[in-house]
Each structure stands twice: as C-alpha cells, then as structure tokens.
Amino acid sequence: MAKLFRAAIMGPPGSGKGTICKRIAQSFDLQYLSSGHYLRESIAANTEAGVLVRSYVERSMMVPDHVMTRLMLPRLEQLIGQSWLLDGFPRTLSQARALNSLCQLDLVISLNIPYETLRERLSDRWVHAASGRVYNMGFNPPRVKGKDDVTGEPLIQHDDDKPKALLSRLRHYKDVAKPVMDLYKSQGILHSVSGTETDRIWPYINSLLSAKMHIQPSGAFQTQTPP
Ligand code: G5P
Ligand code: MG
C-alpha cells in the first residue's frame, strides 16, 4: 500500500455499509471496524457497558456518543500506523469531532439509498449473531436456508429490522447525519453515492478507492454490471 489510508462509510440502516465494507476489505486488503459489530459483541459479553448498550439497540435508539467513542477510539488508537475503514462510525457530529481529534480521514463515502429499497432489504435480512455475517434471502442467501455458511449455526433476524422500528431509525439517521456530512463536505472528503443496488454502486466505489489509494484492487469483487 502506497500510504496510510483512513476512510468511513456512512449510510442509513440497510444501505449496504457492511456489504460494501466487506468488498472493500477483500479487494483492497483493508481492515474494517464496524460499530454495530462491536456493540453486539459488548451486548453478548453482558458487561455493564453491554447491558447499557442493549437498552438502546433493542429500542432502535442511537447509543450515546460517549459510549460509542469509548468503544471505538481505543481500537483505532491501537491501529496507529495502519490503514483502516470504518462502518457506521462516526454517526453524529460529536463522534466525528472526537474522531477528528485522533486522526484525519482521507475519504468518507455516504450511501444514499431510497427508503422503499431499505425496507425491502431489511425485512429479508438474516444474520449470524456470533460473527455478524449478514445474508439476504434474495441478494446473498446462505447455502443452507436458515444456517450460517461457516458454522452451520442458526441465523436470526434483528428486532430493529421490523418496519416501524426501521422508519424511526431512518428519520433519526437523516437528522444526525446532515451535520456530519456538512463537516466532511467542508473538508472536501465527502463522496455521496446514490442507487438501489450494491452491484451497480460497487464499480464506482471500486474506482474511487483505487484512485485515492493509488493502487490496483485485487478484483475479488469486480462485477460485470454497467454503471
Ligand atoms: P448497525 O449494525 O451499524 P445500521 O442500522 O446502521 O446497523 P445495518 O442495519 O447494519 O446498519 P448496513 O450495514 O448499512 O445496515 O447494510 P448491510 O447489512 O450491508 O445490508 C443490508 C441488507 O441488504 C443485507 O441483508 C444485505 O445482504 C442486503 N443487501 C445489500 N446490498 C443489496 C442489494 O443490492 N440488493 C439486495 N436485494 N439486498 C442487498 O448498528 C446497529 C445499531 O447500533 C447502534 C444503533 O442503534 C444502530 O441501530 N449504533 C450506533 N449508535 C450510535 N452511534 C453509532 N456510531 C452507532 N453505530 C451503531
Ligand atoms: Mg451493518
């Protein structure tokens, strides 16, 4: 890799942050850190912080900024000198400022996906709770219905993927994301991408990352779909 590269993917619930981060990680050999994954990990560990986090996530509410920054920043501090990609963090202006005090991002990609597309996707989403692996019954189904490809363990659906919870998550997302996007726009690092299908968005993101990182991707996820 030519130089250190730090990026973040923003987008509403179900916009494909996790799916795209996984592709970027594989194509560009970049590690990614998912806020949702770490939150679920802390819930599973049932620590004092995990019990607090559960009370927010179960009600489809944003976890308070000080909890999020305490969860994410120490992990990033351990990656000083390495390149990385963030999925779902920062999500508020306060989180973005806390991150800025640690390091400057090179690129922020904001996924702009219509509500109806999000609703359809999430009602069809299944996850492997322990690893956070995500499936969609139409887009990327598991090899065996209802079972994780790697462990064979049962897949579950998150409560906050139900339509009523989803609408409130989307409304809230818009309100808190705007000042964050304004900040990154003012820094000249924000790229917004619109579309209804990850496979159609992916070639654009692939080219963008290649140009910004000055390297050729491995091609693991290059698609034949025209932009
Ligand atoms: P999470 O886990 O970060 P969300 O709500 O931000 O949760 P989510 O639900 O994980 O985001 P995503 O990662 O943007 O969505 O999308 P995804 O999982 O890749 O794709 C969604 C589904 O669509 C999948 O089934 C996928 O296979 C499918 N899919 C993808 N592309 C396509 C396509 O082209 N076509 C089709 N048909 N399907 C497709 O955070 C969980 C909670 O933690 C808290 C919040 O409460 C949040 O709700 N939280 C925070 N709180 C405060 N600050 C933060 N920074 C926080 N981070 C998390
Ligand atoms: Mg996700």
Side-chain angles (χ1 to χ4, degrees):
M1 196 175 299
K3 71 175 191 73
L4 283 186
F5 183 78
R6 276 82 182 267
I9 309 286
M10 296 179 64
S15 56
K17 298 183 295 295
T19 305
I20 284 170
C21 281
K22 198 171 154 197
R23 291 185 183 192
I24 293 173
Q26 290 188 14
S27 292
F28 295 91
D29 195 22
L30 208 63
Q31 57 186 315
Y32 78 94
L33 298 89
S34 153
S35 58
H37 173 75
Y38 291 126
L39 288 171
R40 284 186 281 278
E41 199 177 70
S42 79
I43 291 172
N46 214 21
T47 55
E48 200 179 320
V51 172
L52 177 71
V53 164
R54 182 194 296 272
S55 69
Y56 286 94
V57 172
E58 280 185 349
R59 286 178 290 154
S60 306
M61 288 169 68
M62 302 265 295
V63 174
D65 289 333
H66 69 279
V67 178
M68 279 321 300
T69 49
R70 215 178 291 155
L71 189 76
M72 298 301 289
L73 295 191
R75 290 183 157 88
L76 295 175
E77 279 163 4
Q78 285 172 5
L79 297 178
I80 291 292
Q82 296 181 46
S83 296
W84 41 252
L85 176 68
L86 292 171
D87 163 5
F89 179 88
R91 217 171 276 220
T92 65
L93 190 56
S94 163
Q95 292 174 22
R97 286 184 174 144
L99 177 62
N100 248 352
S101 68
L102 183 71
C103 71
Q104 174 71 44
L105 292 174
D106 299 295
L107 174 68
V108 176
I109 296 174
S110 168
L111 302 174
N112 185 14
I113 314 292
Y115 171 74
E116 201 43 40
T117 306
L118 300 176
R119 194 190 57 74
E120 278 169 21
R121 281 185 194 178
L122 294 185
S123 59
D124 229 7
R125 173 164 71 171
W126 290 79
V127 298
H128 176 239
S131 67
R133 273 184 289 279
V134 175
Y135 301 88
N136 178 282
M137 289 312 151
F139 179 67
N140 62 331
R143 281 196 288 271
V144 178
K145 196 176 171 199
K147 306 270 187 206
D148 177 49
D149 285 352
V150 176
T151 63
E153 290 168 354
L155 302 176
I156 57 147
Q157 271 196 306
H158 291 311
D159 283 347
D160 57 6
D161 283 347
K162 291 173 185 161
K164 198 172 157 214
L166 179 63
L167 193 57
S168 104
R169 284 163 80 198
L170 289 178
R171 282 203 186 109
H172 195 55
Y173 172 80
K174 277 192 177 166
D175 291 344
V176 297
K178 171 122 189 3
V180 183
M181 289 200 268
D182 288 345
L183 172 72
Y184 290 133
K185 204 186 278 178
S186 75
Q187 294 177 354
I189 57 171
L190 181 73
H191 287 254
S192 290
V193 187
S194 301
T196 55
E197 289 171 41
T198 296
D199 284 348
R200 284 183 174 267
I201 287 172
W202 173 243
Y204 172 77
I205 292 180
N206 199 20
S207 305
L208 184 63
L209 267 283
S210 302
K212 295 278 174 194
M213 295 171 75
H214 310 296
I215 59 166
Q216 290 298 312
S218 69
F221 270 108
Q222 285 180 5
T223 64
Q224 301 305 312
T225 318

